[in-house]
Amino acid sequence: MPSPAAPPPPVVTPFTGQFGLAYPIICAPMFLVSSASLVIRAGNAGGMGAFPALNYRPLERIREAIRQIREESAAPFAINIIMQKSNRDRYRHLELALEEEIPLIITSLGHPGEAIRLAHQGKCRVYCDVVGLDHARKVADLGADGLVAVSYGAGGHAGTLTPFALIPLLARHFPLPVVAAGGIVDGAGLAAALCLGASAAYMGTRFIASCEAEVTSTYKAAVVAAGCHDIVNTDRVDGYPGNFIRTPALDALGLEPSLVERILSGSRTARRSLARIRATRVLFGAGSSRATYKTVFSAGQCAGLIDDIPSVQQIIEETIRHYHAIKGTLP
Ligand SMILES: Cc1cc2nc3c(=O)[nH]c(=O)nc-3n(C[C@H](O)[C@H](O)[C@H](O)COP(=O)(O)O)c2cc1C
């Protein structure tokens, strides 16, 4: 029997140094997608796994997931906490992450001040999702340990800037590790992100189409089938601009704003209230929401570059091999 191929050589960056990892790849936290098994597989393949606290309810299930991760992997991992009011459990998530001494807390949406303050009393580091310079300045001033640069075209709630502007902008202004988020599926994307000044790459959509992702085969097939132009940016699902695969279920939402919404959109307060109501319905399945992350499929524009469903280990090792090969051939 042929012996399994040796893992590719490590890629050393400030991010891998901070966490003692072989490779600067984070299997990005994805609502209803990132399970303990994805985290375990990513960590055991030399990257870092991350999961949203909201994927496990009630709270005791988060502890069970953490126990499982620690039993099956020695690698550091991350928990993602939504710090916005729509997540009524945000402080309990924080408390649990600190009690469990999870190496990395990643905050998204809302104010990360309390997360950073409390984490720094213990052993956890906090990275914060950001979409621009002002946003990054606020979290850097609060003491964030790293920035996740969420760019246009990313899966989930995307930013508005191209990664070619956002990553160097953040790398120039802040002496913090920057994680590039959005559009990365292979070694070319990783190489580009590192050239632009990132210390690591989030890969989200790529891991939805993996053997171990615990999503339906319909979702995986939709990612494989989607072209880049099939990704629609809309706030119709939960009130925040996010990227979704164009399907009949998404079209059924009516992608154009209604008359009432057009009138209310003149008022910032009304806009925020609408967004909050939608987010609460989607995150907690309350009310009679027509769409949730279960009925429509979120994915980034890079879905158009994905045409297979390999294992998590294959994705990470192929990405790193491709990265090393590309590095040696740049003109
Ligand atoms: C289905 C899905 C769910 C997501 N849920 C979350 C989430 O709960 N919290 C979060 O911070 N980011 C979330 N994201 C964003 C990812 O963490 C990451 O930023 C994004 O997938 C990177 O872009 P890519 O998909 O092009 O690789 C989600 C993305 C997807 C595709």
Side-chain angles (χ1 to χ4, degrees):
M1 235 173 62
S3 58
V11 177
V12 179
T13 71
F15 175 80
T16 60
Q18 229 175 36
F19 292 98
L21 299 170
Y23 309 129
I25 294 177
I26 302 175
C27 179
M30 291 179 280
F31 187 53
L32 301 184
V33 176
S34 308
S35 58
S37 63
L38 267 194
V39 175
I40 291 163
R41 299 308 164 103
N44 288 347
M48 180 188 273
F51 70 97
L54 280 169
N55 276 3
Y56 290 98
R57 280 173 269 163
L59 288 186
E60 197 40 47
R61 290 202 55 226
I62 306 181
R63 285 198 204 275
E64 280 166 25
I66 294 169
R67 210 170 301 134
Q68 188 194 343
I69 293 167
R70 289 198 161 130
E71 272 168 19
E72 295 182 43
S73 172
F77 60 98
I79 188 166
N80 167 235
I81 303 180
I82 292 190
M83 291 306 295
Q84 195 193 42
K85 281 187 192 152
S86 63
N87 177 12
R88 282 161 286 184
D89 282 331
R90 61 196 179 284
Y91 292 113
R92 285 197 279 176
H93 287 158
L94 198 52
E95 210 174 270
L96 187 148
L98 300 173
E99 273 170 24
E100 294 282 347
E101 296 187 350
I102 296 181
L104 177 59
I105 296 172
I106 302 171
T107 64
S108 48
L109 302 176
H111 196 284
E114 200 57 2
I116 296 170
R117 191 181 69 76
L118 294 172
H120 287 176
Q121 290 172 8
K123 294 183 181 162
C124 309
R125 289 191 170 91
V126 180
Y127 279 35
C128 303
D129 271 17
V130 298
V131 295
L133 195 56
D134 291 347
H135 194 180
R137 194 166 282 130
K138 279 184 195 149
V139 305
D141 288 347
L142 290 168
D145 299 293
L147 306 170
V148 180
V150 184
S151 60
Y152 189 76
H157 297 127
T160 54
L161 292 180
T162 161
F164 278 91
L166 183 60
I167 300 166
L169 185 69
L170 300 180
R172 277 183 206 175
H173 281 85
F174 306 99
L176 295 171
V178 173
V179 179
I184 301 169
V185 296
D186 57 18
L190 175 62
L194 298 190
C195 283
L196 290 168
S199 280
Y202 246 25
M203 287 165 70
T205 301
R206 174 60 277 193
F207 287 107
I208 299 172
S210 70
C211 304
E212 295 92 341
E214 292 177 51
V215 298
T216 60
S217 51
T218 317
Y219 193 171
K220 293 184 193 187
V223 170
V224 169
C228 297
H229 292 285
D230 295 324
I231 305 304
V232 180
N233 189 267
T234 177
D235 66 357
R236 302 297 287 178
V237 177
D238 62 9
Y240 298 93
N243 282 320
F244 296 87
I245 302 175
R246 183 151 217 159
T247 57
L250 190 72
D251 279 333
L253 294 177
L255 296 176
E256 297 304 320
S258 67
L259 179 63
V260 174
E261 283 166 328
R262 280 206 301 275
I263 293 166
L264 288 177
S265 69
S267 148
R268 199 164 169 213
T269 317
R271 262 200 328 266
R272 283 200 170 153
S273 304
L274 269 178
R276 222 166 260 150
I277 292 164
R278 284 210 188 109
T280 306
R281 284 192 325 200
V282 169
L283 295 177
F284 300 101
S288 56
S289 174
R290 284 179 299 162
T292 71
Y293 272 60
K294 284 183 184 161
T295 56
V296 292
F297 301 141
S298 179
Q301 292 175 341
C302 63
L305 304 173
I306 295 170
D307 52 19
D308 55 1
I309 306 177
S311 71
V312 168
Q313 182 175 348
Q314 279 172 324
I315 292 172
I316 292 182
E317 292 193 353
E318 280 307 303
T319 299
I320 298 296
R321 282 199 185 92
H322 190 203
Y323 165 80
H324 284 300
I326 279 186
K327 230 177 75 175
T329 61
L330 284 177

